């Protein structure tokens, strides 16, 4: 198995054969013969290795709406691929079968797909690009970076579906090869991030959002609204106002319905009225595009021109039923619609 290990990027060698990983903001100091918190990085003889390089645990052709991203080539198909491991371990994770894996024990159960083959698959299937999703893509950094470089050369686009807890160094390195960034702002309090994500400081997530915008990466933000955890007006107000002031009013914000799972099975699904409240909070804070998620058929899935209010993109779940945007403009008033549409 060791021959498939890849020496990690972005780590420091420390005294006593220890290593400091600099991929995510946990910056684990890892002793010889041990793995970091995410279980995807292993110290062997004072060198840090990715043990998930090229190991694909899930792969599918799916629409961009599944990320969700609504302002980045609506209706386009993407090679969506992911591995195992996580740096948050959220108690209600829908992908727990990938994120909670005993990586070192089970890694051989997953096939190896080279960056070259991944690009070939995307091209063969007529995909618009490659999306790294299902588990945190920053933990797959060496693989996603190599694949992204090849994808760009082949004319494909690239997408990260991320919790945003990667380091500034990691984003800086991959930014030239990254076209789009669907990032979670899961809540807006230390208490929430400590209880749900097991981190004490969520400000690095906010920094990565503003940095991604600075690098010219298309950014869309999602908040899965969890009853009794992130559904209070105070957090929703803070998220909405922060997006407006720091990411810009044109940045799409997806407020999505939580469904009970794992250790959060005791909760009920998010009431639709709560999502509608969150959407209104976003609009009241000046955001132009606030969407409801996991509520198929709701009008909050649709894109309307923020200038004239006319319906431009009609959706049902992950399906685009109608798209009137041409050359990024509203056909009714000529207003430019932020994003990439053709």
């Amino acid at each position: 198995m060791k021959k498939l290990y890849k020496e990690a990027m972005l780590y420091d060698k420390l005294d006593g054969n220890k290593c400091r990983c600099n991929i995510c903001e946990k910056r684990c100091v890892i002793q010889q013969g041990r793995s970091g918190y995410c279980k995807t990085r292993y110290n062997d003889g004072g060198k840090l290795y990715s043990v998930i390089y090229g190991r694909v645990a899930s792969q599918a052709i799916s629409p961009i709406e599944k990320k969700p991203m609504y302002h980045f080539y609506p209706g386009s198909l993407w090679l969506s691929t992911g591995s195992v491991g996580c740096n948050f371990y959220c108690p209600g994770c829908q992908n727990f079968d990938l994120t909670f894996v005993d990586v070192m024990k089970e890694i051989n159960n997953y096939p190896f797909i080279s960056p070259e083959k991944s690009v070939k698959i995307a091209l063969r299937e007529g995909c618009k690009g490659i999306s790294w999703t299902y588990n945190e893509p920053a933990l797959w950094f060496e693989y996603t970076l190599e694949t992204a470089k090849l994808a760009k050369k082949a004319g494909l686009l690239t997408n990260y579906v991320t919790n945003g807890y990667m380091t500034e160094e990691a984003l800086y390195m991959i930014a030239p090869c990254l076209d789009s960034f669907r990032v979670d702002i899961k809540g807006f309090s230390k208490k929430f991030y400590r209880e749900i994500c097991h981190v004490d400081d969520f400000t690095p997530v906010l920094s990565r959002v503003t940095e991604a915008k600075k690098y010219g990466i298309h950014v869309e933000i999602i908040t899965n609204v969890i009853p009794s955890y992130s559904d209070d007006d105070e957090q929703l107000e803070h998220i909405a106002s922060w997006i407006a002031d720091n990411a810009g009013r044109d940045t799409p914000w997806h407020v999505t319905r939580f469904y009970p799972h794992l250790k959060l099975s005791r909760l009920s699904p998010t009431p639709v009225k709560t999502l509608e409240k969150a959407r209104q909070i976003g609009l009241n804070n000046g955001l132009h595009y606030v969407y409801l998620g996991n509520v198929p058929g709701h009008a909050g899935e649709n894109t309307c021109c923020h200038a004239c209010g006319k319906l431009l993109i009609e959706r049902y779940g992950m399906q685009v039923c109608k798209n009137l945007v041409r050359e990024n403009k509203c056909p009714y008033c000529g207003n430019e619609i932020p994003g990439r549409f053709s």
Side-chain angles (χ1 to χ4, degrees), residues 194-239:
R194 189 177 299 117
E195 291 182 359
I196 296 297
C197 308
H198 311 109
V199 298
D200 291 323
D201 182 14
F202 67 94
T203 57
V205 175
L206 307 181
S207 296
R208 298 304 88 80
V209 173
T210 55
E211 289 159 10
K213 296 284 286 193
K214 179 184 70 176
Y215 294 141
I217 300 170
H218 176 81
V219 174
E220 301 197 20
I221 294 167
I222 185 172
T223 302
N224 188 228
V225 183
I226 306 175
S228 76
Y229 284 94
S230 59
D231 61 343
D232 56 283
D233 288 5
E234 182 177 5
Q235 285 192 82
L236 295 171
E237 285 278 0
H238 280 312
I239 295 171

Side-chain angles (χ1 to χ4, degrees), residues 241-259:
S241 63
W242 186 90
I243 295 171
D245 293 342
N246 297 276
R249 294 192 298 166
D250 286 339
T251 303
W253 182 32
H254 302 261
V255 288
T256 61
R257 193 177 198 186
F258 163 86
Y259 282 98

Side-chain angles (χ1 to χ4, degrees), residues 126 129 265 327:
S265 295
E327 297 181 351

Side-chain angles (χ1 to χ4, degrees), residues 125-272:
E125 298 298 325
C127 295
K128 189 75 173 176
I130 300 177
S131 174
W132 296 282
T133 179
Y134 305 126
N135 76 314
E136 172 51 44
L139 307 182
W140 219 12
F141 187 77
E142 295 76 14
Y143 181 74
T144 62
L145 179 60
E146 286 187 33
T147 309
K149 289 178 179 178
L150 294 175
K152 296 297 291 178
K153 288 180 180 178
L156 295 168
L157 297 174
T158 57
N159 169 252
Y160 251 28
V161 175
T162 176
N163 60 32
Y165 207 61
M166 69 179 67
T167 61
E168 180 180 5
E169 307 98 287
L171 180 57
Y172 176 81
M173 186 173 288
I174 199 168
C177 303
L178 198 59
D179 296 296
S180 55
F181 198 69
R182 208 287 286 134
V183 58
D184 296 322
I185 298 181
K186 294 177 180 288
F188 214 89
S189 72
K190 288 186 176 182
K191 181 176 184 291
F192 173 88
Y193 267 87
R194 189 177 299 117
E195 291 182 359
I196 296 297
C197 308
H198 311 109
V199 298
D200 291 323
D201 182 14
F202 67 94
T203 57
V205 175
L206 307 181
S207 296
R208 298 304 88 80
V209 173
T210 55
E211 289 159 10
K213 296 284 286 193
K214 179 184 70 176
Y215 294 141
I217 300 170
H218 176 81
V219 174
E220 301 197 20
I221 294 167
I222 185 172
T223 302
N224 188 228
V225 183
I226 306 175
S228 76
Y229 284 94
S230 59
D231 61 343
D232 56 283
D233 288 5
E234 182 177 5
Q235 285 192 82
L236 295 171
E237 285 278 0
H238 280 312
I239 295 171
S241 63
W242 186 90
I243 295 171
D245 293 342
N246 297 276
R249 294 192 298 166
D250 286 339
T251 303
W253 182 32
H254 302 261
V255 288
T256 61
R257 193 177 198 186
F258 163 86
Y259 282 98
H261 202 52
L262 292 180
K263 295 180 181 179
L264 298 184
S265 295
R266 70 186 186 281
L267 302 177
S268 299
T270 316
V272 175

Side-chain angles (χ1 to χ4, degrees), residues 65 74-75 296-298 301-303 311-324 326:
E65 284 73 22
H298 194 285
E301 293 185 310
N302 299 330
T303 298
L311 176 65
L312 300 180
I313 304 175
E314 183 180 358
R315 300 180 180 87
Y316 187 90
M318 292 180 285
Q319 180 182 358
V320 174
C321 305
K322 177 171 64 175
N323 182 1
L324 301 180
R326 296 293 180 270

